[in-house]
């Protein structure tokens, strides 16, 4: 297997040539990808907020932000600056400790989940063996933060919003996990890198979406519900609950919720791209292209091109999904809470169980196509 | 001691202090909501300790099940009831406290002697997390099949009980007629209310 660029190995080797011990070199390397990922995620949020504004404007036949930077690209930056400078109000009758801790607990697991997002064979913060399972576990921590902020606000709308958020995220976690389980069964691994490797080799034909069409739909619906995007944004339904658990928040604490929800959206889109759309793979296998051009796969220029193409492909796929999510938000009405729970428990759960059984049966019958 | 070992030692100490502190908070705080949130802290620190022992599947499962499901359900129940009630001072509370302290101390002494007296067989091989999932799965379906299945039967029973409680089969007859007789109702999907002893209505709600 062509492993591509190994930045970590090269970096550590060059530090060791300078006379540093192995442990110290590794310790110096470790914060770099993490920092890069956090910055990347934040920039991704800015891009998504801009897209949200522009696409919503297009959907409603408006122009959208126009004068803040070219095409209004600086509008999300202005938003962020405004939120930073706003007064941070803690309501008098609230519980100040839980009120402060709530948004933090919401945001940390989402950032931590970026640990497992690969952009190439070695372009990943940490190739954890647990991979997607870690993401599922981490995303199940978020409702605690939501409940915490809903309770601490001492406001009935906040409490109801927090309770709804927890109910929603518990309900949709199960179909989500079952859809991921079908993928894990086909890939014989939970690691995101292995899952992408299993889809490689045949270009666009090898992607999991052709083998798991039902799983793809279940995963995307459940992921949208986990992100509380519009067809499922019950926890903050403004007509019923003012703003749900965010009602009492302002300034940076509100910004954390805002950031968390958009990071979660980008993360879900990235994971759909990785699990179902071949991750960093190009629609035509790059090794075949290298063969046609008579370029050796170990050629450094080719490797740099492959790596940048991989990052571009992952982001393109993810942002295509973000685009569909935004379009859905501005075209689809909100469901009611009973409809939401019905959809989760009475429709998605049985369907995802059937999907799992079907995958298992197909894996036994056609081991060549379904990862024996 | 290398850097990795030092980090491991420090993390063990931090996690243990976190766990014991949070556990003491769960027991001693009078506000039940704080206790529930601190319970989440206990579970998270435990997951951290598992992680330090190279048991990453167990650590992840701990976070998913105990923090993501059990603790959220506990919080959910507490907040749904949302009953802020201070404990009324009881006469002769010291008897109960004394008895509790004695039981706890006895349990602690028993467990400590068990830990110290048991000849543990330490393995010298470095534990590896690779292939742990497969080993756990094999154990579940061979020598630990009975406990595994019993646990799932228990969960099924809890599930059936929850469904029966949530369906509220025992709505009094008068309440049902009151609800149906309300003149000004919004055009909503009709709710299926099952009266006592009556057969469920024939038309499905959707």
């Amino acid at each position: 297997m062509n492993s591509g660029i190994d930045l970590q190995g090269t970096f550590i080797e060059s530090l060791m040539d300078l006379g540093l011990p192995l442990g110290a070199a590794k310790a110096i390397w470790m914060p770099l990808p993490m920092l890069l990922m956090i910055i990347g995620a934040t920039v991704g949020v800015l891009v998504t907020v801009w897209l949200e504004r522009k696409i919503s404007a297009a959907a409603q036949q408006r122009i959208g932000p126009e004068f803040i930077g070219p095409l209004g690209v600086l509008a999300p930056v202005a938003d962020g600056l405004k939120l930073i400078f706003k007064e941070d109000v803690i309501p008098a009758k609230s519980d100040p400790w839980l009120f402060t801790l709530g948004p933090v607990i919401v945001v940390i697991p989402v950032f931590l989940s970026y640990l497992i997002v690969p952009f190439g064979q070695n372009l990943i913060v940490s190739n954890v063996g647990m991979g997607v399972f870690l993401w599922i576990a981490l995303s199940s921590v978020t409702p605690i933060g939501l409940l915490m902020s809903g309770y601490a606000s001492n406001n009935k709308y906040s409490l109801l919003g927090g309770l709804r958020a927890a109910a929603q995220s518990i309900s949709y976690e199960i179909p989500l996990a079952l859809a991921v389980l079908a993928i894990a069964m086909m890939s014989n691994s939970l690691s995101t890198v292995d899952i992408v490797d299993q889809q490689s080799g045949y270009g666009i034909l090898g992607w999991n979406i052709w083998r798991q069409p039902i799983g793809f739909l279940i995963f995307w619906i459940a992921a949208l519900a986990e992100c509380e995007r519009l067809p499922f944004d019950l926890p903050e339904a403004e007509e019923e609950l003012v703003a749900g658990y965010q009602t009492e928040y302002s300034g940076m604490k509100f910004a954390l919720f805002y950031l968390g929800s958009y990071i979660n959206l980008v993360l879900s889109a990235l994971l759909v791209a990785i699990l179902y759309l071949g991750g960093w793979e190009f629609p035509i296998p790059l090794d075949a292209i290298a063969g046609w051009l008579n370029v050796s796969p170990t050629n450094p220029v080719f490797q740099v091109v492959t790596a940048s193409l991989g990052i571009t492909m992952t982001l393109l796929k993810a942002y295509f999904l973000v685009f569909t999510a935004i379009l859905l938000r501005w075209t689809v009405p909100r469901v009611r809470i009973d409809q939401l729970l019905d959809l989760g428990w009475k429709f998605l759960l049985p369907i995802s169980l059937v999907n799992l059984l079907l995958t298992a049966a197909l894996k036994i019958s056609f081991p060549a196509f379904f990862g024996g | 001691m290398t850097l990795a070992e030092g980090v491991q030692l420090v993390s063990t100490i931090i996690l243990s202090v976190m766990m014991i502190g949070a556990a003491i908070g769960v027991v001693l705080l009078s506000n039940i909501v704080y206790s529930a949130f601190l319970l989440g802290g206990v579970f998270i620190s435990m997951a951290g300790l598992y992680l330090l022992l190279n048991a990453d599947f167990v650590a992840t499962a701990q976070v998913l099940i105990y923090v993501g499901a059990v603790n959220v359900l506990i919080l959910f129940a507490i907040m749904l009831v949302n009953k802020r009630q201070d404990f009324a001072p009881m006469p002769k509370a010291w008897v109960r406290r004394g008895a509790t302290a004695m039981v706890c101390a006895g349990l602690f002494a028993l467990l400590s002697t068990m830990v110290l007296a048991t000849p543990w067989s330490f393995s010298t091989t470095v534990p590896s997390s690779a292939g742990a999932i497969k080993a756990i799965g094999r154990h579940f379906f061979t020598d630990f099949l009975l406990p595994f299945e019993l646990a799932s039967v228990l969960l099924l029973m809890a599930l059936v009980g929850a469904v029966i409680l949530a369906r509220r089969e025992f709505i009094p007859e008068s309440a049902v007629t009151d609800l149906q007789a309300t003149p000004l109702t919004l055009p909503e999907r009709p709710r299926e209310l099952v009266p006592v002893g009556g057969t469920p209505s024939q038309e499905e709600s959707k």
Side-chain angles (χ1 to χ4, degrees), chain B residues 107-191:
Chain B
L107 211 57
F108 184 74
L110 190 70
L111 285 175
S112 325
T113 30
M114 189 274 288
V115 168
L116 294 175
T118 311
W120 300 102
S121 56
F122 290 105
S123 130
T124 48
T125 53
V126 180
S128 150
S129 58
I133 306 179
K134 280 175 190 159
I136 291 171
R138 202 164 289 132
H139 278 303
F140 271 159
F141 285 98
T142 53
D143 44 353
F144 286 101
L145 184 64
L146 187 66
F148 180 63
E149 291 297 325
L150 279 180
S152 50
V153 169
L154 186 72
L155 285 178
L156 184 68
M157 276 154 63
L159 200 69
V160 172
V163 168
I164 286 176
L165 282 181
R167 278 189 60 182
R168 289 186 210 173
E169 302 241 341
F170 304 109
I171 294 173
E173 200 82 49
S174 58
V176 175
T177 49
D178 277 0
L179 278 176
Q180 284 165 347
T182 320
L184 288 170
T185 45
L186 288 170
E188 271 193 323
R189 187 168 67 83
R191 300 258 169 85

Side-chain angles (χ1 to χ4, degrees), chain B:
Chain B
M1 197 161 71
T2 63
L3 190 66
E5 281 171 356
V7 169
Q8 195 166 12
L9 186 71
V10 172
S11 328
T12 316
I13 293 168
I14 292 176
L15 284 171
S16 314
V17 169
M18 254 173 71
M19 189 160 85
I20 293 170
I24 288 174
V26 172
V27 181
L28 293 185
L29 285 180
S30 59
N31 188 340
I32 192 170
V33 176
Y34 287 161
S35 298
F37 281 124
L38 280 175
L39 192 64
V42 177
F43 290 144
I44 288 271
S45 331
M46 227 189 252
L49 283 179
Y50 287 142
L51 208 60
L52 280 180
L53 295 170
N54 265 355
D56 49 2
F57 177 75
V58 185
T60 324
Q62 168 90 11
V63 172
L64 178 66
I65 295 166
Y66 282 94
V67 182
V70 173
N71 201 25
V72 168
L73 281 182
I74 290 173
L75 282 168
F76 205 83
I78 291 171
M79 288 184 182
L80 212 55
V81 178
N82 198 19
K83 195 175 183 183
R84 295 189 191 196
Q85 188 184 25
D86 292 326
F87 284 113
M90 273 183 298
K92 291 193 179 173
W94 62 271
V95 181
R96 294 161 186 247
R97 289 203 186 128
T100 317
M102 269 175 62
V103 169
C104 291
L107 211 57
F108 184 74
L110 190 70
L111 285 175
S112 325
T113 30
M114 189 274 288
V115 168
L116 294 175
T118 311
W120 300 102
S121 56
F122 290 105
S123 130
T124 48
T125 53
V126 180
S128 150
S129 58
I133 306 179
K134 280 175 190 159
I136 291 171
R138 202 164 289 132
H139 278 303
F140 271 159
F141 285 98
T142 53
D143 44 353
F144 286 101
L145 184 64
L146 187 66
F148 180 63
E149 291 297 325
L150 279 180
S152 50
V153 169
L154 186 72
L155 285 178
L156 184 68
M157 276 154 63
L159 200 69
V160 172
V163 168
I164 286 176
L165 282 181
R167 278 189 60 182
R168 289 186 210 173
E169 302 241 341
F170 304 109
I171 294 173
E173 200 82 49
S174 58
V176 175
T177 49
D178 277 0
L179 278 176
Q180 284 165 347
T182 320
L184 288 170
T185 45
L186 288 170
E188 271 193 323
R189 187 168 67 83
R191 300 258 169 85
E192 202 180 63
L193 294 171
V194 185
V196 182
T199 50
S201 62
Q202 289 300 311
E203 54 161 4
E204 275 294 310
S205 51
K206 53 164 199 162

Side-chain angles (χ1 to χ4, degrees), chain A residues 225-245:
Chain A
E226 290 268 301
C227 296
E228 289 151 18
R229 291 289 299 181
L230 193 89
F232 312 110
D233 76 337
L234 271 299
E236 49 210 84
E238 57 265 28
E239 294 91 346
E240 309 161 27
L241 294 179
V242 190
Y245 53 84

